[in-house]
């Protein structure tokens, strides 16, 4: 059996807690191995057995075996310091949308990933949601007939 991919989650705000951590912990082959957060108590409440680090540098120093970094932080932090730093450290990287703020930043990260031989991807979770998967399956099985128009909306939970 293959070893699980050790994943470091950078940030435990809404996107990290609501989307990314669930993806990481439910997909076979991934292991949530570290979380970088400025709010250790919030993370410990949900993940008491996962090591928490104050910075990306600390994670790299103490857990060099983490090979994939997932970045669901504010958009302005995606390129610098986080994605660029993770790629420079030899890690594979998944960055939440918006990938970068400029095309030049995106091109720079892409070139760095290619130079380092690492995977770099934008996280687009809707693609694997049950609603999308159901529609895809219905279309593949031609259950709906010829599709003329399809519109879909996702609204977060509101009390």
């Amino acid at each position: 059996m293959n070893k699980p991919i050790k994943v470091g989650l950078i940030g435990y705000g809404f996107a990290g807690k609501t989307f990314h951590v669930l993806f990481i912990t439910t997909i076979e082959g991934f292991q949530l191995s570290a979380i970088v957060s400025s709010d250790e108590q919030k993370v410990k409440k949900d993940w008491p057995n996962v090591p928490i680090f104050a910075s990306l540098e600390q994670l790299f120093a103490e857990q060099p075996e983490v090979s994939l970094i997932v970045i669901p932080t504010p958009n302005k932090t995606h390129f610098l310091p986080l994605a660029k730093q993770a790629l420079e450290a030899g890690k594979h990287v998944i960055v939440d949308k918006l990938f970068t703020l400029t095309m030049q930043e995106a091109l720079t990260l892409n070139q760095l990933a290619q130079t380092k031989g690492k995977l770099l991807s934008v996280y687009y979770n809707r693609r694997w949601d049950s609603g999308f998967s159901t529609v895809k399956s219905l279309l593949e099985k031609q259950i709906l007939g010829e599709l003329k128009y399809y519109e879909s909306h996702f609204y977060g939970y509101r009390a």
Side-chain angles (χ1 to χ4, degrees):
M1 176 163 174
N2 293 334
K3 291 182 179 180
I5 296 169
K6 294 184 182 249
V7 180
L9 177 66
I10 312 306
Y12 198 67
F14 178 77
K17 180 177 180 167
T18 307
F19 301 113
H20 295 274
V21 80
L22 295 175
F23 177 77
I24 294 164
T25 58
T26 58
I27 301 298
E28 186 176 339
F30 285 167
Q31 177 184 336
L32 181 60
S33 299
I35 298 174
V36 173
S37 175
S38 61
D39 191 346
E40 183 175 350
Q41 293 308 311
K42 180 171 94 173
V43 179
K44 280 283 184 209
K45 187 173 148 189
D46 296 336
W47 300 98
N49 298 319
V50 175
I52 302 163
F53 299 97
S55 69
L56 201 52
E57 296 84 3
Q58 184 186 15
L59 183 154
F60 293 156
E62 295 185 31
Q63 287 205 355
E65 68 279 4
V66 167
S67 62
L68 172 62
I69 300 298
V70 177
I71 304 173
T73 58
N75 298 337
K76 66 183 179 182
T77 65
H78 289 176
F79 174 65
L80 283 176
L82 302 174
K84 188 169 186 276
Q85 186 177 354
L87 287 167
E88 287 172 341
K91 309 298 181 186
H92 302 287
V93 176
I94 297 174
V95 181
D96 204 353
K97 324 176 278 302
L98 293 170
F99 180 58
T100 60
L101 298 181
T102 69
M103 178 63 83
Q104 186 56 51
E105 290 174 350
L107 293 171
T108 299
L109 289 180
N110 185 56
Q111 180 61 48
L112 182 57
Q114 288 179 6
T115 300
K116 294 286 190 173
K118 298 299 172 188
L119 297 175
L120 172 66
S121 180
V122 178
Y123 181 77
Y124 187 69
N125 58 320
R126 295 276 115 5
R127 191 173 189 189
W128 292 279
D129 283 354
S130 59
F132 186 87
S133 297
T134 300
V135 170
K136 183 178 176 190
S137 175
L138 291 170
L139 291 173
E140 287 171 350
K141 295 175 184 173
Q142 298 181 338
I143 292 172
L144 299 175
E146 184 180 355
L147 184 67
K148 298 287 186 187
Y149 177 79
Y150 174 76
E151 184 173 325
S152 176
H153 298 268
F154 173 79
Y155 300 100
Y157 172 78
R158 288 176 176 74

